[in-house]
Amino acid sequence: MEVKRELPKRQWDSFQELPVIEDEQTPWKLIKLVRFISLCFVALLVFGLALCSKTSFLLLITMSSEGTKVIPDKQKPVSLLCIGCVLITSSVLLFLKSIWKACYKTSKLPRVATIALVFFFEFMASAGAAILTIVAMPHLDIVSNVTILNGAAFVSALLQVVAQCKSKERNRFLVPSITALLLILLGYALFLALYVMKDPKDLKMAMWVGLAVGASLLVSFNWWENYFGLISEHSSSLVVKGLYRDMRKCQNILNMLSSLLRIAVTASMDWDVVRSIPGPQTRVIAITVGVQLMSSALCHWFSLTACKMHAMRRCFILPLYLASLSVMALMVIPVIVFYQDNRLGLNGTRTNFTNYCSVVVGARDANLTSSVFPELVYDVTETLCFLDMSKISDIGILTGSAVSWWLGLVLCTIHLWHLSLYRIQRTQDLFVRRLYEGAFIEQSLLLNTRFEININTKIKHEVVSCATMWHETYDEMMKIIISLFRLDQYRPKTEDENKDISFEAHVFFDDAFKDVPGSLGRHVNEYAESLVHILREVYVIFMNLDKDLFNREQQAPDQKVVTTPYGGRLVMTMPGGNDIIIHFKDKKRIRHKKRWSQVMYMYYLLGWKVATKYYKKLIKGGYEEELIREFEKEKHNTYILALDGDTDFHPAALMLLVDRLKVYSDVGAICGRIHPTGSGPMVWYQKFEYAVGHWLQKTAEHVFGSVMCSPGCFSLFRAKAIMDDNVMKRYTIKSTKASHYLQYDQGEDRWLCTLMMKQGWRVEYNAAADAYTNAPEEFKEFYNQRRRWGPSTFVNSVDLLGDATLIIRRNRSISRPFIVYQLISLVASILSPSSVILMITGCLNLLLDIPQNSALVLSVIPPVVFLAVSYKIKADKQITIAAVMSSLYAILMMITFLTAIGNIVKDQSIMTPSSLFIICLVFFYVITALLHPQEIGLVMYGLLYLLCIPSAYLLLSIYSMVNMDNVSWGTRETAPAPGTVQPAAAAAEQSPVEKAMNTLKQFFCRGICCRKCRRSSADELIKDINVPESSFENIEEPDNPGLLLQNTRVADVGPIQTEPERDPEPASFCPSQCWITQLQSLSDDMHLQEDSLDVEEEQFFQEMIVRYLEPLHLDQKKQDDMKNSLRDLRNKANFVYFMINAMWLVITFVLQLRSDIVGIRIPKLDLSFQPTGDYMFIEPVGIMFIVAFALLVLIQFIAMLWHRTYTLIHYIAFLDTETEKFLEPNITMLKKVDDEEDDDSNELLYPNLRHRSHNMGTLV
C-alpha cells in the first residue's frame, strides 16, 4: 500500500540556496589526530616520569644501604641527605606557594583545635616518611622497598570502610575497600614472616622490619583529609563538623604551618657530618637526585593535566598502576640477567645465588671510571643477598607480599575508575593536598585523588542568548540567525532529565519602526522586514536538513506576533523546540541604543523572569530559606550570551565558554576569540591587530589577573554577577556628566566588566571559542570606531586604577603586580604618539643621514600641524588628511625597512637600533604565530600592520583625542536617501480639538489593526480592511524636537543631533495596515497569529520603561551645557595627554644633545655576533623605555605559552567528551545507486552544497 505524500504546493519552486551551516573551518580529522597523539603523549609521560621518580628514589636508598659499593660507607650520609631533600621539596614548594597567596590575598587564621588536629596527623605522616625512607628501607631488599610503599594505602582503605558504613548510599565500593584492607594486612604478614622467620635471633633486622611496618602505617595518615570530610558530613558531632569547616576556610594558613612542621621533622633526623666525596660519586648522586626531583614535579603536573583532559583512566590511573610493576621489573630483570650470565660463564660449574652474592657481588671493588650501570646492578643484587633467592619458598613469600600490597592499592583506588569529572576540573576539586609526595609519587597521586568529587549532574544550566540589532545588512542578520538555529539543533528542547543545558534566544531590534502616511499605525522598517524573511527562510532550511527532495516542506508552522508597550515582538518556536523571540523596539516608546537594550534584557530576563518568580513562590507560602537557596542556585547557573547582530559562531564555541563558568564559580564573564571578517586592506590590518591583541594582551590579563574587557559581540555572563550589587543597578545610570558619555555609552561592555571586577568577579578569555564578526572595511568607518573605543578604554582604565586598593581587597584574581602591569600598559599607550615620532626620527636618520636632533624636529612638524588643523576643520576632513598622511608614512616605513635590511647586509652588523627593532619584532611575531597553527596565515598581514603603525598609534590617537566631544556611535550611521526632502524639525502646535480628534483616530485604528486575523494572501487583507486612506491622515505625532537619544553626536555647532530620520514611506500593500498586518502579509509560507501579552508582563514593561527606559528629553539649554562640558573635558584631557608626550620628546631631545656625556655606549656586533669595533650611544631614558617594553613583551609571551597549554588541555577534554554527531559535520551520506536506480537527485548532484568554506560567505 502506497503512503500518501503531502507534496509542496509549489513543486516548481522546490530549489533552495543554502547558507553555510556546518563548521567547515575546523579541521576535525586533524584535530582528532592531535587529540590521539596528545593523549598517548601524556599517558607515556605520566608512566615514564613515575618510573623515573620511583627508580631514582630507590637507587638513592640502595646507595645508602650497608654493603653497597657505589658510594663508600663514609659518604653514605650524603645519600641520606638527598633522600631528606626528596622528602621536603614538595613541602618547601607548598610553603612558598602559600606565602605567595597570603601576601596578596586574605588568609584566615584557624582555631587552636584545628591546628592541633592537623599537626597531629602531619607529624605522624612526616615522621613515618622520614623513619621509613631514611632509617628502615636502606636495610631491606629492593623488592620489599618497591612494594612496601603500596602498604601506605592502609589508613585510606580503613577510612573508606568507615565512611561508607556511615553513609548507606555510598556502599558500592565497600567490598573492594574491605578486600583492599585485608590484602594490605596479608602483605604485612607475609613480609614479617619472610624476614623474622629467616633468622629469628637477628634482633637488629627485626628492629628494621618493625620500624618499616610501623612507619609505613604512619605514612598512610598522609591522606586522612580525603575521608575526614565524608565522615564529618554524616557525623552527629558538631565538633567534628566545625573542625572540617574551619579546615576548609583556613586551608592556606594550615598548609603553611604543616609544611614547616614536615620540614622540621625531616631535618631533626640524626644526620652525620656530610663529608666531601670523590667526583664520580658526586655526579652519580647529583644526577640521581636531580632526576628524582624533576620527574616527580613533572609527573604531578602531567597527572593533573590528564585529569583535566578528561582522560583519567587512560592517562592517569592505568600508567600509575603499571609504574609500580615496571619499577619492579626494571630493578629485578637486570639482576636475573647478570646472574644468568655469570652462571653461563662458569662453563657448567654448579652455583647458586648465595655463592654468586659472596663471590661476585660482595668481593668486587667498585670502579666508577667506566660504566656505572653494572655497579648499580650489583648494589641492587646486594640487597637481595640476605634472602636465598634459589629457594622457591623465599621467592613465593616475597612475591606474595608484593602482589598483596599492589592489589591492595588497586582495590583501594578502584573508585577512581568511576569518578565523574567536569572538563578542566579544578585542581582543588581533584586532589585533597595541593602538591605531591616525591618519595612515593604514584601512591601519593592515586590516594590524594578525592574519594568523591562533588559534581552534580542534575544541575540544569540555562543559556539565554541576547543579540542586539540595529541596521545590519541582510547577510549580517543571516549569520546571527543561522548561529542561533545551530544552537537549537545542537540542544533541542526535550524532557530528558540528563540534559545539562537549556537554551532560549532573544533578539532586541533597535529603531525597528517607521511612520507610513495613511496607515493605521507605525510600520516596521525594511531592516525588520528583512529579518522576518530571514527567519522564515532559515526555519525552512533547518526543518528540511535531513529530508530528501520529495519530503521537503515549504510551509513553516504558525508563529505569534504580540503588541507590547515597547513596540512588538515575534515569538517563533524553532525546529528543535526552543524559542526565539524578536523584540521590535519603537524608539518613540522606549530608549534605544545598545546599552539600553542590554538594560532591557537584563531586567526582563533576570529581574522579571527569575527574581519575580521566587517572590511569587514566597507569597504562595514557600519556605524562605529554601527559596533563597534555589534563587542563588538559579542565578549561579543562568548565563547570558551577549551577541551582536552580525556575530557568527558554532555551538562548540559556546560550550567551551560554558565549561569555564561551570567549573570556576568566581568567573563572572568570559569571552571568546573574535575574528574580524570582510575584505580589503583595512580588514587585513584588523585581522592581524585582533590576533596580536588576543594572542598577547588578553592571554596576559587572563593568566595574571582578569581580562579588562569582555566584548559584547560574543561573551557569556553569569546572571549572578550581573545581578550583584553595584552592577546591574549602576549600569542603568543615565549620562549626566561629560565623562559619563565616554565611559558609559562609548564602551558599555568594558564598563560592565569594570563594574564586575569591582565587585570581586573575574573575567576570563577562552582562545578556543571562535566567533566571527564584521569589521569596518572603510578607513573612515575604522577611524570612527576607534575614536569611540580609545577614550572609553582610557577612562575605564583610569577608573580601575583609581580604585586599585578596593579591587585588590575584593577581587581574588587581581593582585598588586597585576595593577602595576596595567599601569605600565596605560603609560605605554599614552606615550604611543611620541614613541612613533621617535621611530620616525630613526627612519629619517637612516634614510637621509641627518643628525638625530634635526630628524626629531622634522618628525614632530607633521603631527603638530595635523593636531592644530584638526581643531579648526570637521571630522570628515580630518579623516581625509589622516588617510593621505597614513599613505605617506607607510611609504616611509617601507623604504626604511628595505634600507635597514640593506644596511645589515652592507655593514654585516645587526647591533643597530633599526636592525634590532626589525629582527626582534619579526622573530617575536613569527614565534607567536607558530604557536597558533590555525592562524599562522595571519602573519602575511603583519607587514601591513607594521606599515600602519604611524597611522594607528599617532594619527588615530590625535583624531580620537581631538574628537573626544563627539559621542556618536560612528558606525552603521544611516543617512537619508539622496535627493529626498528632509522632514520638518517640528510640527505646528495642535489645538485641543485636533488633539482629541487624533486621539480618537488612533484608538479606532488600534482596534481595527489589532484584531486577531489570519490572512492567506495580501489581496484578502486589502478586502477585509477597507478603510479610506484619507480618513487616517495626519494621525502620527511629530517627533519631539527636544528628544535627546543616548550615544548620539554632540556636534560642534547647533543642537545635539539625533539619528537622521528617513522619509515616511507609503504602505506597500494596503494603506490602512499596521505593523502586524504588514508582517502577516509578507509571506504565505509562515502564518503569523496575533497574540496578546500577559497582563502582569505588560505591567512590568510599562513600569520598567517609566523607571529606566523612557526616551530622554532635554531642552536646548541642557544640550548646550552638555556640549560645552564635553568640550571642556576634551580640552583638559588633550592638554594633559599631549603635554606628557611633549615632555617625553623634550627629555629625549636634551639627552640626545648630550649623548656624549650621559649616553650608554653599546658595541656593535656583526652577523656572527662578534664586536665590529664601532659603538652606538643610547641615552638612559631610551634604555629604560626599551627595557620596560621588552619586559612587557616577555611577560605577555610567558602568559601566552601558559594559556596555550591550558587551551589545548581544555580543547582535548572537550573533544573527548562531546558526541560524534556534534564533532563531525552532519553530512548526508551518498547512497549507493544500483544500476536500475535513478541517480539524478539533488543530494547526488550537489552533495557539498551546504558545506562550503566560511570564507565563501553566506550564500543566501
Side-chain angles (χ1 to χ4, degrees), residues 238 273 305 315 353 367 517 782 833 1038 1057 1068:
L238 296 178
V273 179
T305 299
C315 302
F353 188 76
N367 183 13
F782 171 76
Q1057 300 176 358
S1068 55

Side-chain angles (χ1 to χ4, degrees), residues 80 245 251 306 399 684 714 743 791 821 838 947 955 1173 1232:
L80 297 176
R245 284 196 300 268
Q251 191 69 50
T399 305
W684 300 340
F714 186 66
Q743 184 175 9
Y821 167 80
L838 293 175
L947 297 180
L955 302 179
K1232 293 183 179 179

Side-chain angles (χ1 to χ4, degrees), residues 913-1176:
S914 56
S915 304
L916 288 175
F917 174 77
I918 294 175
I919 293 172
C920 294
L921 207 59
V922 171
F923 177 79
F924 177 69
Y925 283 145
V926 169
I927 294 298
T928 304
L930 289 174
L931 294 172
H932 298 77
Q934 284 186 279
E935 303 176 38
I936 195 171
L938 297 177
V939 174
M940 59 185 293
Y941 303 130
L943 177 61
L944 178 62
Y945 177 81
L946 295 177
L947 297 180
C948 293
I949 286 178
S951 176
Y953 294 95
L954 175 60
L955 302 179
L956 181 57
S957 298
I958 295 174
Y959 176 77
S960 299
M961 296 302 295
V962 170
N963 293 277
M964 187 183 293
D965 59 330
N966 183 354
V967 292
S968 64
W969 199 249
T971 55
R972 300 187 189 278
E973 300 286 358
T974 304
T980 58
V981 180
Q982 298 298 319
E989 185 175 355
Q990 294 178 324
S991 65
V993 176
E994 291 174 334
K995 290 182 178 180
M997 291 295 296
N998 282 334
T999 303
L1000 289 174
K1001 288 179 182 179
Q1002 292 175 9
F1003 176 81
F1004 288 113
C1005 290
R1006 290 195 187 96
I1008 294 174
C1009 80
C1010 295
R1011 291 179 304 176
K1012 292 186 178 180
C1013 57
R1014 181 171 183 173
R1015 309 301 184 204
S1016 60
S1017 66
D1019 295 334
E1020 294 179 9
L1021 178 66
I1022 295 174
K1023 290 178 183 177
D1024 290 345
I1025 307 178
N1026 189 12
V1027 184
E1029 181 179 354
S1030 58
S1031 62
F1032 299 105
E1033 292 178 355
N1034 301 322
I1035 65 171
E1036 62 273 14
E1037 295 178 358
D1039 291 344
N1040 190 335
L1043 185 66
L1044 177 64
L1045 299 172
Q1046 291 290 2
N1047 297 335
T1048 52
R1049 175 183 174 84
V1050 180
D1052 294 336
V1053 181
I1056 297 178
Q1057 300 176 358
T1058 61
E1059 299 164 16
E1061 294 283 350
R1062 296 178 296 279
D1063 282 342
E1065 300 178 9
S1068 55
F1069 294 108
C1070 174
S1072 57
Q1073 63 181 345
C1074 67
W1075 73 273
I1076 291 181
T1077 53
Q1078 175 195 5
L1079 294 183
Q1080 289 173 335
S1081 65
L1082 289 179
S1083 174
D1084 292 337
D1085 291 339
M1086 184 176 69
H1087 296 302
L1088 302 178
Q1089 299 291 336
E1090 184 181 351
D1091 199 359
S1092 59
L1093 197 64
D1094 180 75
V1095 176
E1096 292 184 352
E1097 188 173 347
E1098 184 171 7
Q1099 182 182 0
F1100 154 73
F1101 277 114
Q1102 291 172 351
E1103 293 176 354
M1104 182 186 66
I1105 291 173
V1106 171
R1107 186 168 180 82
Y1108 296 114
L1109 296 176
E1110 270 191 329
L1112 297 176
H1113 297 269
L1114 291 179
D1115 55 24
Q1116 188 63 41
K1117 183 178 182 304
K1118 290 184 178 180
Q1119 294 182 28
D1120 293 338
D1121 291 342
M1122 184 57 63
K1123 177 178 63 178
N1124 294 330
S1125 298
L1126 285 167
R1127 282 181 176 174
D1128 291 342
L1129 177 64
R1130 179 200 65 178
N1131 295 336
K1132 293 176 182 177
N1134 285 0
F1135 176 79
V1136 174
Y1137 183 82
F1138 292 113
M1139 182 58 68
I1140 292 174
N1141 281 273
M1143 292 173 64
W1144 180 257
L1145 290 175
V1146 169
I1147 292 173
T1148 305
F1149 181 81
V1150 172
L1151 290 177
Q1152 285 182 350
L1153 282 176
R1154 307 301 299 171
S1155 60
D1156 55 334
I1157 299 176
V1158 299
I1160 299 175
R1161 191 173 70 167
I1162 299 178
K1164 293 184 178 181
L1165 304 179
D1166 58 18
L1167 298 179
S1168 302
F1169 296 96
Q1170 299 297 325
T1172 61
D1174 297 329
Y1175 296 90
M1176 65 177 181

Side-chain angles (χ1 to χ4, degrees), residues 597-818:
S597 290
Q598 291 176 332
V599 171
M600 177 181 171
Y601 68 64
M602 286 177 186
Y603 274 89
Y604 173 54
L605 299 173
L606 304 180
W608 167 252
K609 283 199 165 186
V610 177
T612 307
K613 175 174 61 178
Y614 289 95
Y615 282 102
K616 290 180 179 178
K617 290 182 179 180
L618 181 63
I619 293 174
K620 292 179 180 179
Y623 185 51
E624 185 174 350
E625 292 186 3
E626 183 179 351
L627 289 177
I628 291 175
R629 285 195 300 269
E630 292 179 1
F631 184 35
E632 292 297 322
K633 183 186 296 184
E634 183 166 355
K635 288 195 301 181
H636 188 80
N637 298 315
T638 300
Y639 312 131
I640 299 293
L641 178 63
L643 301 167
D644 277 352
D646 59 352
T647 304
D648 185 15
F649 67 96
H650 287 271
L654 172 61
M655 296 305 298
L656 289 166
L657 299 184
V658 170
D659 283 346
R660 300 291 301 185
L661 267 65
K662 271 186 183 180
V663 177
Y664 297 94
S665 59
D666 61 338
V667 176
I670 183 171
C671 62
R673 168 69 166 95
I674 310 302
H675 300 265
T677 59
S679 60
M682 287 312 307
V683 177
W684 300 340
Y685 168 83
Q686 291 173 86
K687 283 179 179 289
F688 191 79
E689 181 198 33
Y690 272 65
V692 171
H694 285 85
W695 292 349
L696 301 173
Q697 184 175 349
K698 281 197 181 296
T699 55
E701 291 174 348
H702 173 96
V703 171
F704 296 118
S706 175
V707 175
M708 295 291 102
C709 177
S710 189
C713 58
F714 186 66
S715 293
L716 193 65
F717 294 87
R718 192 187 300 276
K720 188 174 182 180
I722 296 176
M723 300 169 75
D724 203 354
D725 296 336
N726 301 321
V727 178
M728 188 165 162
K729 182 70 173 180
R730 186 169 176 78
Y731 198 61
T732 63
I733 292 178
K734 293 183 289 188
S735 299
T736 56
K737 298 180 181 178
S739 59
H740 293 174
Y741 282 92
L742 301 180
Q743 184 175 9
Y744 299 172
D745 298 325
Q746 300 293 283
E748 70 291 328
D749 44 9
R750 182 174 286 270
W751 183 43
L752 181 59
C753 292
T754 302
L755 295 177
M756 287 184 176
M757 286 186 286
K758 286 184 176 181
Q759 288 302 114
W761 293 97
R762 171 174 163 83
V763 182
E764 290 192 348
Y765 162 62
N766 191 314
D770 295 308
Y772 303 85
T773 184
N774 282 20
E777 297 183 356
E778 302 295 332
F779 188 83
K780 175 182 177 181
E781 190 178 10
F782 171 76
Y783 256 51
N784 281 328
Q785 182 194 65
R786 299 311 168 91
R787 179 260 304 157
R788 174 167 54 88
W789 287 2
S792 70
T793 301
F794 178 79
V795 172
N796 278 283
S797 298
V798 172
D799 183 23
L800 192 74
L801 294 174
D803 293 334
T805 304
L806 175 66
I807 294 175
I808 291 171
R809 188 168 63 249
R810 287 184 178 179
N811 199 314
R812 297 174 55 193
S813 61
I814 295 180
S815 60
R816 288 180 179 83
F818 180 72

